[in-house]
Amino acid sequence: MNTFQKSAAVWNSFFTRLVRVPLLDKVIGKSTAIITYTGRKSGKTISLPVSFSRSGETLTVRVMMPDKKNWWRNFTGTGDRVTVDIAGVERAGHAVTSRSDSGAVSVRIDLEPSVR
């Protein structure tokens, strides 16, 4: 793990707790979610905050500085399952990474229907 990744891990841990604070989750949760997934190599459960845009039941996460990060690689190929916590509401989904010709990386998360 390089210095950037270590710093990001500390920030992500702090921010993940912050997003789950009552009332703050309603404000921050409009554009920030906590995604939880199983690491492809480690097998560990990992949670991290991400900024997203939403169109219906699809979230798009644009990965900034993708070559310095590894988490999005868990969703290459056919992708994998994730849990998404938006403003305190958890939803299951399926995430798939795409990379443009210019090198931009985004992760598309298709949410499963919510159970009511």
Side-chain angles (χ1 to χ4, degrees), residues 38-46:
T38 301
R40 71 188 189 290
K41 290 183 180 178
S42 69
K44 294 180 182 178
T45 300
I46 301 163

Side-chain angles (χ1 to χ4, degrees), residues 24-40:
L24 285 180
D25 66 341
K26 304 298 183 222
V27 175
I28 298 171
K30 292 181 181 183
S31 63
T32 303
I34 305 298
I35 62 168
T36 302
Y37 60 94
T38 301
R40 71 188 189 290

